[in-house]
Amino acid sequence: MDPVTNPYTPNAGARPDVLAGRDDQLTSFSVLLRRVTRGRAGRSMIITGLRGVGKTVLLGQFRDKALEQGWSVLDHEVSKHDDDDFRRLFALKLRTALLDLAPRARWTDRFRKAAAALSSFTISVDQAGQFQAGLNVDAIEGLADHGDLSMDLTDVFVALGEAAKERGRGVVILLDEVQFLTHGQLEAVILALHRTVQRSLPIVLVGAGLPQVPELAGDAKSYAERLFTFPTIANLSDEDSHHALREPARMEDADYDDEALERAFEVTGGYPYFIQELGWAAWGVADASPITRADVEDAIDHYQAKLDSSFFRVRLDRATELQTAYLRAMAELGPEPQKASDVAALLDRESTQLGPTRAELIDMGLLYTPTHGYAAFTVPHFDKFMRRAIPELIIPAKRQRRPPRTAS
């Protein structure tokens, strides 16, 4: 069928024409905004789930809803940075939010205080030894200049929240890839948000990240579980999966027959990103509507090749030889969470020897720990990909210990 009218969007973070199966999260976010607008307490949220389940898409929906209700929105994708870079990049987003609340010409004392806090937060020393601040306002001694990230960010959040409250508006902070915050950065964000909640200031934080985020947040601050909700999003039900495929097609005066939808669900497992890829491929091979089971079967090779060359491969290419062997051993055991000792046994190692490798894969976002002693893939169907990409189990050669030197 016509590629120009193909209604599917297999791109990272691209919003599909139909967002299926996420009504609960959208409703919770709307309730949160309405409560905070009325001066009521509300728990911010961090959405968790595997890669490809639509976390970033959901954040985009939250952004649109917040803007519709007159909130200022700060959206930021977290990358691994030291604290100085985190301050600089985050402050740029906070500055934009401050200017969105009110242009500089309309700033009151509260806004100038927020600007001063941001300036202190990003203060630096140039080659001549002079202090420079980003917003061309005088710093206020004792405000966001403590040299402690948690204390400084708290001052910034409170000052921004007071300015927003004065304007009768609120600020939504959207953070994607939360798991890449360092322990100290996550602790600072949680502490700063907690202070705004205590003071009934209109700042809401919604994050998205991999399944280990609740544990990371709890480790950073024990009260995080009372400050946030941690809704998990996963694969769609068969009904929602069918809806996600059929409704975009109907918008283009096309359809699927029921057997095609059933086969598509079997292939994709109901994972939203995979549905978009298979829908794109099936549309491309079909000659006419309705799209049939045979069309879906014909599309599978293209669908699989596309995932292998992009969605999966980009993750495997970052792995070392030993890391790759570890991932392949996990795939050999199956898609479920695997015990560290079982993986090590396949590789003819002790689990303590492979502890650093496992930790590196978790740090890279390829694995997470659902329970103590177990690890699981953060990418759905990654076990199937590893078996296709590396048909045979890899047993890395053990390094030979050098004999001790003898005295001459």
Side-chain angles (χ1 to χ4, degrees), residues 78-327:
V78 178
S79 299
K80 292 182 180 180
H81 290 294
D82 61 25
D83 287 352
D84 287 341
D85 283 339
F86 172 79
R87 283 176 179 260
R88 178 177 57 83
L89 293 171
F90 203 41
L92 289 173
K93 302 283 188 175
L94 291 164
R95 177 183 184 273
T96 300
L98 181 65
L99 291 170
D100 179 59
L101 289 170
R104 192 187 299 264
R106 298 182 184 177
W107 280 3
T108 62
D109 288 344
R110 288 191 186 279
F111 276 82
R112 283 187 281 274
K113 180 180 178 181
L118 274 172
S119 294
S120 296
F121 188 67
T122 57
I123 205 161
S124 61
V125 182
D126 67 13
Q127 292 181 350
Q130 300 296 316
F131 285 101
Q132 303 292 325
L135 280 164
N136 297 319
V137 295
D138 292 334
I140 299 174
E141 188 174 358
L143 181 69
D145 63 356
H146 312 286
D148 177 88
L149 182 60
S150 292
M151 295 175 67
D152 292 347
L153 189 61
T154 296
D155 284 351
V156 171
F157 271 31
V158 168
L160 181 63
E162 289 174 342
K165 188 173 184 178
E166 182 182 76
R167 290 287 290 176
R169 297 179 63 192
V171 178
V172 175
I173 300 171
L174 302 176
L175 292 183
D176 203 0
E177 304 287 3
V178 173
Q179 72 278 353
F180 290 136
L181 290 171
T182 67
H183 178 89
Q185 291 162 5
L186 182 57
E187 181 182 35
V189 169
I190 294 171
L191 181 61
L193 181 68
H194 187 219
R195 190 60 54 83
T196 66
V197 171
Q198 290 175 322
R199 299 192 181 187
S200 300
L201 298 175
I203 291 185
V204 166
L205 189 147
V206 178
L210 294 175
Q212 66 262 40
V213 169
E215 181 180 0
L216 296 175
D219 289 344
K221 281 294 178 184
S222 59
Y223 55 73
E225 65 181 20
R226 301 190 300 276
L227 189 64
F228 295 97
T229 61
F230 294 95
T232 298
I233 62 174
N235 53 324
L236 302 178
S237 66
D238 55 352
E239 181 180 354
D240 286 333
S241 177
H242 296 173
H243 185 71
L245 270 178
R246 171 166 270 160
E247 291 309 310
R250 285 178 170 174
M251 291 178 182
E252 296 295 339
D253 297 321
D255 207 343
Y256 287 75
D257 66 31
D258 290 343
E259 288 189 2
L261 293 174
E262 290 170 6
R263 180 57 178 144
F265 181 72
E266 292 173 359
V267 172
T268 64
Y271 285 99
Y273 182 77
F274 295 173
I275 290 170
Q276 296 299 311
E277 282 285 12
L278 185 57
W280 177 274
W283 187 276
V285 302
D287 293 325
S289 176
I291 296 172
T292 66
R293 181 186 179 97
D295 293 327
V296 172
E297 292 288 356
D298 289 343
I300 289 175
D301 285 346
H302 176 75
Y303 153 83
Q304 207 166 73
K306 179 75 179 300
L307 287 176
D308 285 359
S309 64
S310 57
F311 185 75
F312 293 127
R313 175 58 64 179
V314 70
R315 291 167 170 80
L316 182 59
D317 284 348
R318 295 183 291 135
T320 65
E321 180 182 358
L322 186 54
Q323 290 167 354
T324 300
Y326 196 98
L327 294 172

Side-chain angles (χ1 to χ4, degrees), residues 262-403:
E262 290 170 6
R263 180 57 178 144
F265 181 72
E266 292 173 359
V267 172
T268 64
Y271 285 99
Y273 182 77
F274 295 173
I275 290 170
Q276 296 299 311
E277 282 285 12
L278 185 57
W280 177 274
W283 187 276
V285 302
D287 293 325
S289 176
I291 296 172
T292 66
R293 181 186 179 97
D295 293 327
V296 172
E297 292 288 356
D298 289 343
I300 289 175
D301 285 346
H302 176 75
Y303 153 83
Q304 207 166 73
K306 179 75 179 300
L307 287 176
D308 285 359
S309 64
S310 57
F311 185 75
F312 293 127
R313 175 58 64 179
V314 70
R315 291 167 170 80
L316 182 59
D317 284 348
R318 295 183 291 135
T320 65
E321 180 182 358
L322 186 54
Q323 290 167 354
T324 300
Y326 196 98
L327 294 172
R328 181 59 182 82
M330 282 192 60
E332 187 76 10
L333 293 169
E336 303 83 8
Q338 301 300 336
K339 197 172 182 179
S341 59
D342 293 340
V343 179
L346 273 184
L347 297 175
D348 194 24
R349 300 287 205 283
E350 298 294 329
S351 58
T352 52
Q353 294 175 296
L354 291 173
T357 302
R358 182 172 176 268
E360 291 161 2
L361 290 167
I362 292 171
D363 188 54
M364 292 165 65
L366 290 171
L367 299 178
Y368 74 99
T369 53
T371 55
H372 181 70
Y374 286 78
F377 294 118
T378 61
V379 181
H381 296 186
F382 200 72
D383 60 307
K384 297 177 182 178
F385 163 71
M386 290 300 299
R387 287 172 172 269
R388 290 193 299 271
I390 306 172
E392 299 295 330
L393 185 66
I394 303 170
I395 308 295
K398 294 181 180 179
R399 293 182 179 180
Q400 299 295 321
R401 293 184 179 179
R402 294 181 178 179

